[in-house]
Amino acid sequence: MELVLKVLVCVMVKGVLCKKSILHIGGFIEVNTTNKGWNSAGIQPAINLAVRQINNRSDILPNHTLLIHWRDTKCSDSYAIKALIEQLRRPPTKMALIGPGCSISAVLVAAASHFWNLIQIGFSAGSPRLSEKTRYPLFFRINAPETILNKAVVSLLRRFGWKRIAIVKQDEDLFNDAHEDLQTILKTQGISVISTNSFVEDPDNVISDLKERKARIIISMMYADKSRLIMCAAYRHKLYGPHVQWLLPGWYTKDWWRVVDVPGCSAEDIRTAAANFLAVEDLVMDAATNHTLSGLTAEEFMDMYTAELKHYPYSANGYAPLGYDAAWVLALALNKTMTHLNKNNKSVDNFSYEDAEFAQLLSRTLLNISTYGITGVINFNRNQERLNKIWIEQFQGDKEVRVGHFDPEKHDLSNGELTMIPGQKFIWPDGNPPRDKDLVNEPLVKTSRSLFYVLSCVAMLGLMSSLGFLYVNCHHRHYSIIRQSSPRLNNMIVIGCMLAYCCVFLFGAETFVESLDTQTVICKLNFLRDRHLFGIVCGLVCLDVVYLTAWELSDPVAGSLKHLSKEISPDGNVITQRQVLICTSGNENLWLSLWVIWKTLLLALGLFLAWETRHVSFPSLNDSKYIGMSVYNVVIMSLINVPLYYVVGEAHIQARYALIATTLNFISTFTLLVLFVPKIAKIMRRATCPEEKPDVVSGISTCNYWENQGCPYCNVK
């Protein structure tokens, strides 16, 4: 068998002397992915191309020839174990391993291969689990782990201001590990995950949950076949459109959505649901024209890879450049290791699975490598991984377009930093990135300024009239018609009416309020108005002061925003939530109930007194008739407007303000007119009566009734 292999190698190298010894490498690839896992078959032609070029070089492994023994792991844990056993049990002895490409297989191979002192180089396995060097000490990978892809995803979220996302994942170790790492990064960046779901075969429940939670930004962590399955469910449930944004792995095969393997959905349905999805993947090919370790530019490699691919029944794979560079890096490391062994009179030809010294030497050599490959600068960190740049792609038209890249060593994901490719940009169906939640408009509903100005003008006229009545009451206090109607009490009534007019301004002041602090000040001013409105006796005023002070100290009144009913737009993406400024406290209902009871009792007492004195009509002795009319007015207006005020509700702020302002204006104006217009009329008629003279004994103005019988308004001593 070994002789046959040597003959094959001689044929491959085209004339190179068969005196070269063969270095056997175990290769793992995923071809027959019956479980619909990731297929890496398209990478094999690139690796074989690299091996052929290496064997033709005289400066790398000059006396040796590389030969790769391939095994298909089928992206399955059981087949991966079978493939590893075959590599170990069947001669010849393998010096190192390359692959597998699928994380499911790579994890199992890496967990066991180090017991046979085999260095393993991965080219597409991204599982974060492989970063645990205590469990996988001899595993290197030339591709970036999923943790780096997660940083690129979070940088995208930060760039577009998405802070509310949902995650849908396939229940596989690769995606479970990547999900745990992503959750940690999201938490540090203040991004909330509203839903995390996984499924096996039926994603309908997942989509229903996403719709119920109104998910808009959805991160998908799964293989391509599951993505087609969930996109079909999203299409059936109508979870698609410009308001929904999917973020997918970028390592799917080209036109993955065209594969028709989901019953009930066409390729066009999958495309419609996925829309302009975003994707992230390793920057697998450097755009620079620099010559690389292999001597080729990236463009030259692609031409050769395309030609090589024609000899295989496989489709192109985007990770082919990584597989190509992985073969070159392994060859370079073996070459440097053999140089070191030759200096110590040792040979690589004597390698066995018990040779731990060789494995450690090859591992240190790989860690010290720094070169330039098709995929860019190649070096490994202490986790034996490479921090690749990450492509940022967007589905535009009918293809994935690379619009920029994320560099984990330079870009700050907290600021959403990316390097955009010149001439490329993100394209959105409605011109703007989708929002991470429904747009909630929260307009502050305020009293109409025109309504406020009209009612305030009425209140201002009332205030001016009150000042006039106050002047009359003070200036003409020596007239008997004023003096005998308790001028001090009349002054208090005028002041109370003036305060009622002022309340018209306070109730509408929120028209000009822009902050809750200002509203709180207005609330406290409104809070103090009632003690003057009904306070007609100093003792009652003192009781009011005590009550309101206790309220304020134990349960302070403050301004707050209250949400009114929601209005949802026809497309369901815009919610209008109106708000109003209100004054409230913790036990407001209790305090107001006691207050209303107290004031109701006072009104009842006033109503009783007014009714009992309704027949007292001698105008020179009292104002009982007019006071009774005022009390009736207050009672009737209160019985009508107070219930109506609460029936109207806070949603109709214009009607509420108009109702209370009109009530205050009407009650105050009616009271002032009823009490003072008759007095002013009598004072203005004093010209028909001789000049009054105050009585020096009693201080009461008198006139001779017998001499002034035409003067019915003169007092009789």
Side-chain angles (χ1 to χ4, degrees):
M1 182 65 178
E2 187 173 351
L3 179 60
V4 174
L5 291 174
K6 287 186 177 182
V7 172
L8 290 174
V9 171
C10 289
V11 173
M12 290 175 63
V13 298
K14 296 181 180 179
V16 176
L17 295 177
C18 292
K19 293 181 180 179
K20 288 186 176 184
S21 60
I22 300 176
L23 301 179
H24 299 278
I25 307 298
F28 301 93
I29 208 76
E30 289 76 33
V31 180
N32 298 314
T33 51
T34 56
N35 66 335
K36 299 183 179 180
W38 195 66
N39 190 302
S40 62
I43 302 175
Q44 184 182 6
I47 297 176
N48 288 339
L49 174 64
V51 169
R52 190 163 63 248
Q53 292 174 343
I54 292 167
N55 290 336
N56 285 331
R57 291 276 290 264
S58 59
D59 57 334
I60 297 179
L61 303 175
N63 299 316
H64 295 82
T65 297
L66 287 180
L67 179 62
I68 297 183
H69 302 263
W70 291 105
R71 291 292 182 274
D72 183 8
T73 70
K74 301 184 180 181
C75 198
S76 164
D77 46 9
S78 57
Y79 277 97
I81 295 173
K82 178 178 180 293
L84 177 62
I85 292 174
E86 290 175 351
Q87 295 280 22
L88 295 173
R89 292 185 61 184
R90 296 181 182 180
T93 300
K94 316 304 184 299
M95 299 190 62
L97 304 176
I98 186 168
C102 169
S103 291
I104 296 175
S105 303
V107 167
L108 287 168
V109 172
S113 60
H114 67 92
F115 292 112
W116 283 266
N117 296 302
L118 288 172
I119 293 292
Q120 179 183 350
I121 296 184
F123 44 76
S124 61
S127 173
R129 188 171 299 186
L130 292 167
S131 300
E132 302 175 23
K133 294 299 109 179
T134 55
R135 298 179 61 185
Y136 315 100
L138 298 183
F139 180 81
F140 289 75
R141 55 180 157 191
I142 201 168
N143 62 295
E146 290 287 336
T147 53
I148 302 300
L149 297 179
N150 284 342
K151 291 182 178 180
V153 168
V154 174
S155 185
L156 274 174
L157 298 178
R158 297 289 293 182
R159 183 181 185 89
F160 298 116
W162 295 328
K163 296 184 178 181
R164 181 179 177 273
I165 62 105
I167 299 175
V168 182
K169 65 182 180 68
Q170 186 174 344
D171 192 13
E172 294 284 355
D173 289 341
L174 165 64
F175 304 113
N176 291 336
D177 295 343
H179 170 255
E180 290 181 7
D181 175 76
L182 178 60
Q183 286 275 22
T184 302
I185 301 176
L186 292 174
K187 186 176 181 180
T188 60
Q189 295 300 316
I191 299 174
S192 62
V193 180
I194 62 172
S195 173
T196 299
N197 287 286
S198 61
F199 68 97
V200 179
E201 295 296 336
D202 186 6
D204 283 348
N205 290 336
V206 173
I207 296 299
S208 296
D209 181 69
L210 294 176
K211 288 192 68 175
E212 182 179 348
R213 297 176 184 272
K214 293 186 176 295
R216 295 291 179 263
I217 312 302
I218 308 171
I219 298 176
S220 175
M221 308 175 79
M222 59 190 69
Y223 288 118
D225 62 300
K226 299 299 183 184
S227 279
R228 289 189 290 272
L229 196 60
I230 199 165
M231 290 303 170
C232 179
Y235 180 80
R236 292 198 311 269
H237 290 270
K238 300 188 182 303
L239 183 62
Y240 62 88
H243 62 288
V244 177
Q245 181 65 54
W246 289 87
L247 286 85
L248 307 178
W251 38 260
Y252 293 165
T253 56
K254 183 181 178 181
D255 294 338
W256 61 271
W257 53 275
R258 292 186 184 275
V259 178
V260 182
D261 58 356
V262 182
C265 281
S266 64
E268 190 62 28
D269 295 339
I270 304 298
R271 178 186 176 281
T272 300
N276 58 325
F277 66 84
L278 296 172
V280 295
E281 69 168 330
D282 291 88
L283 196 154
V284 296
M285 194 144 55
D286 197 290
T289 58
N290 300 345
H291 282 277
T292 61
L293 173 63
S294 63
L296 301 177
T297 64
E299 185 177 356
E300 290 170 343
F301 162 75
M302 285 304 301
D303 292 339
M304 297 186 71
Y305 172 66
T306 302
E308 182 77 11
L309 199 61
K310 294 178 180 178
H311 303 292
Y312 295 83
Y314 310 142
S315 57
N317 190 297
Y319 277 70
L322 289 169
Y324 180 84
D325 276 353
W328 273 98
V329 167
L330 178 58
L332 183 62
L334 286 171
N335 185 69
K336 291 185 177 182
T337 300
M338 284 189 291
T339 300
H340 179 80
L341 290 174
N342 291 336
K343 291 179 180 179
N344 295 292
N345 296 320
K346 296 182 179 180
S347 174
V348 72
D349 297 328
N350 298 325
F351 172 77
S352 67
Y353 292 139
E354 290 77 28
D355 195 345
E357 180 183 355
F358 175 80
Q360 293 302 319
L361 180 60
L362 182 56
S363 177
R364 289 195 298 270
T365 303
L366 281 167
L367 285 173
N368 292 326
I369 279 181
S370 180
T371 186
Y372 199 91
I374 295 296
T375 58
V377 176
I378 302 173
N379 48 43
F380 297 98
N381 60 17
R382 62 182 182 180
N383 282 336
Q384 300 167 192
E385 297 171 336
R386 180 184 175 198
L387 298 180
N388 290 4
K389 295 177 182 178
I390 306 299
W391 280 122
I392 307 298
E393 304 169 349
Q394 186 182 37
F395 192 72
Q396 299 177 0
D398 286 330
K399 61 181 180 179
E400 295 180 39
V401 177
R402 290 171 176 168
V403 295
H405 72 264
F406 172 78
D407 189 338
E409 295 182 309
K410 295 180 180 179
H411 292 154
D412 182 5
L413 64 86
S414 299
N415 296 325
E417 292 182 357
L418 301 173
T419 297
M420 299 299 293
I421 297 176
Q424 298 294 345
K425 63 179 181 178
F426 293 99
I427 297 177
W428 311 105
D430 57 0
N432 296 304
R435 295 178 292 270
D436 58 1
K437 57 184 177 182
D438 289 338
L439 176 61
V440 179
N441 294 324
E442 295 184 331
L444 187 60
V445 181
K446 297 182 179 181
T447 303
S448 168
R449 292 200 175 187
S450 58
L451 178 63
F452 173 76
Y453 291 145
V454 170
L455 293 173
S456 295
C457 288
V458 175
M460 183 61 69
L461 292 175
L463 278 173
M464 297 173 63
S465 300
S466 299
L467 291 175
F469 292 139
L470 190 62
Y471 171 79
V472 170
N473 201 56
C474 294
H475 184 70
H476 299 286
R477 62 185 178 278
H478 296 299
Y479 282 90
S480 58
I481 192 67
I482 299 295
R483 184 172 56 257
Q484 292 181 6
S485 62
S486 301
R488 293 180 180 178
L489 188 59
N490 289 338
N491 287 341
M492 295 184 69
I493 293 175
V494 173
I495 294 173
C497 291
M498 293 175 67
L499 291 174
Y501 286 127
C502 291
C503 288
V504 174
F505 300 106
L506 291 176
F507 272 116
E510 95 282 343
T511 303
F512 306 96
V513 172
E514 299 296 337
S515 69
L516 286 178
D517 291 337
T518 306
Q519 177 66 13
T520 298
V521 174
I522 294 174
C523 286
K524 294 187 181 299
L525 292 175
N526 282 330
F527 181 70
L528 296 176
R529 70 183 185 275
D530 291 333
R531 74 164 187 255
H532 297 291
L533 184 60
F534 297 106
I536 57 174
V537 180
C538 292
L540 295 177
V541 171
C542 292
L543 288 176
D544 288 348
V545 170
V546 171
Y547 182 86
L548 294 176
T549 302
W551 184 351
E552 176 62 22
L553 293 177
S554 61
D555 190 15
V557 176
S560 65
L561 286 172
K562 181 174 182 178
H563 294 288
L564 303 178
S565 59
K566 294 181 180 179
E567 296 178 3
I568 303 177
S569 63
D571 60 4
N573 297 325
V574 180
I575 298 175
T576 301
Q577 176 78 75
R578 296 189 301 155
Q579 302 178 107
V580 292
L581 288 166
I582 62 172
C583 302
T584 185
S585 62
N587 298 308
E588 180 184 14
N589 291 334
L590 175 61
W591 291 102
L592 280 178
S593 297
L594 296 174
W595 183 259
V596 170
I597 292 172
W598 166 240
K599 294 304 177 184
T600 301
L601 292 175
L602 287 180
L603 277 176
L605 177 61
L607 185 61
F608 171 76
L609 294 176
W611 180 259
E612 289 297 318
T613 59
R614 66 189 183 279
H615 298 302
V616 179
S617 59
F618 190 58
S620 300
L621 296 179
N622 57 68
D623 291 327
S624 60
K625 178 180 178 181
Y626 306 120
I627 293 176
M629 293 173 63
S630 299
V631 172
Y632 298 149
N633 175 49
V634 172
V635 171
I636 293 173
M637 294 296 290
S638 299
L639 290 176
I640 295 175
N641 293 328
V642 170
L644 190 58
Y645 177 81
Y646 288 100
V647 169
V648 169
E650 293 164 340
H652 303 86
I653 190 171
Q654 313 295 344
R656 239 189 178 194
Y657 174 68
L659 179 65
I660 193 169
T662 303
T663 300
L664 290 173
N665 282 335
F666 182 80
I667 290 177
S668 301
T669 303
F670 184 87
T671 300
L672 291 174
L673 293 178
V674 166
L675 290 179
F676 289 96
V677 168
K679 295 179 177 62
I680 295 174
K682 294 175 184 180
I683 292 173
M684 292 179 66
R685 295 179 61 181
R686 71 184 184 276
T688 63
C689 181
E691 185 177 357
E692 294 181 331
K693 296 181 180 180
D695 183 75
V696 295
V697 178
S698 64
I700 300 176
S701 298
T702 65
C703 67
N704 191 324
Y705 178 77
W706 302 107
E707 296 179 358
N708 299 281
Q709 298 181 24
C711 182
Y713 305 105
C714 292
N715 292 322
V716 177
K717 187 175 179 180

